[in-house]
Amino acid sequence: MGTERQTTRFHLDDLKIPVIQAPMAGGPSTPELAAAVCAAGGLGFLAAGYKTATAMRTDMQKLTSLTDRPFGVNLFVPQPSVLKPDALQRYAGSLAADAERFGVSLGEPRHDDDDWDTKLEVLLDLAPAVVSFTFDFPPSSVVEALKHRGVYVIATVTSRDEALRALAAGADALCVQGPEAGGHRGTFAAAAPPPEVPLHGLLESLSDLEVPLIAAGGIATAEHTRAALAVGATAVQAGTAFLLADEAGTKPAHRAALSSPERFPTTGVTRAFSGRNARGLYNGFMRRHDGEAPYGYPEIHHLTTPLRAAAAAAGDPDWLNLWAGINYRNAAEGPAAAIVASLRP
């Protein structure tokens, strides 16, 4: 890996519309969705989380065939295991009845690095315009190697301390994620409650930093975009707003739940599905297991994977992780281009 700094080919100011489609691991983020967002003037993203390096390369090559515009790829940064064996045993026991209900066995609660090293090799080989990181930020040697290939590097942060650590390691921009966001919080600490400072307060607390800020969390309308730009953001990142896009790979049961606010009237933060704090539509699984789920990502994620897959196949949203931000009621069906236009300030 080289360490020489070179001028990056991309900058947030290059976007025609300051809207970024959030990387959503587990299916929603597809090459087709990212390509449509790029074509509409925003920045489309692929989510490499849970995928092999080979699958990530395939997605990147597919996206390159669909667009000649800049796009991003997001990686989960691996961390040491925090799961205690006795807590795992208790939680697995509490899930036994759920597994029996769907006729499946629980998954192997293994700890892995999500194919980290090989994914970095692919990124350095294919050099997408943008790479972002979630759950921590890599060492400066990794960041500098990506920059040497002309990659613009973004850190996902949820506090000032995380922001300063990312900048010290060479981040080009910060994706500032508030508690309003759907899906996993990007908090660096694997076994601690994430900060609850609202997005706008967090943006204001980072306004003295000479770095572009991307606002993430509850961005679902043009008004939300304008409000975030007014407090210092250079661009916004939206995920939930794209879950119902025609090009998204969102599971049918998830799509149906997002369209049923009378059945799922609120969201909640849980670690019951993955062992990490994440916001989703509050459903039966969360009601049953929130109080007993331990911290332990990715072990808990692997433990519950067969159960969630069975629930998805059965079209049962009560046992499925229905990731969504607080403004999920603003999500609308339609082409991604129309959604980008609806977010335009």
Side-chain angles (χ1 to χ4, degrees), residues 96 98-106 306-307 310:
D98 299 328
E100 183 177 357
R101 176 176 184 266
F102 285 100
V104 299
S105 298
L106 295 173
L307 179 58

Side-chain angles (χ1 to χ4, degrees), residues 98-175:
D98 299 328
E100 183 177 357
R101 176 176 184 266
F102 285 100
V104 299
S105 298
L106 295 173
E108 177 193 353
R110 68 187 185 278
H111 185 271
D112 60 50
D113 67 358
D114 205 34
D115 214 5
W116 171 256
D117 287 336
T118 311
K119 285 178 178 176
L120 289 179
E121 292 175 2
V122 173
L123 292 177
L124 289 170
D125 179 27
L126 299 184
V130 183
V131 170
S132 70
F133 294 97
T134 302
F135 298 164
D136 209 329
F137 197 64
S140 57
S141 58
V142 171
V143 178
E144 291 302 320
L146 289 168
K147 287 186 173 184
H148 184 73
R149 293 285 286 126
V151 176
Y152 190 81
V153 182
I154 300 173
T156 305
V157 301
T158 64
S159 70
R160 184 175 180 86
D161 177 65
E162 292 172 359
L164 295 177
R165 286 168 58 187
L167 291 178
D172 289 308
L174 302 176
C175 179

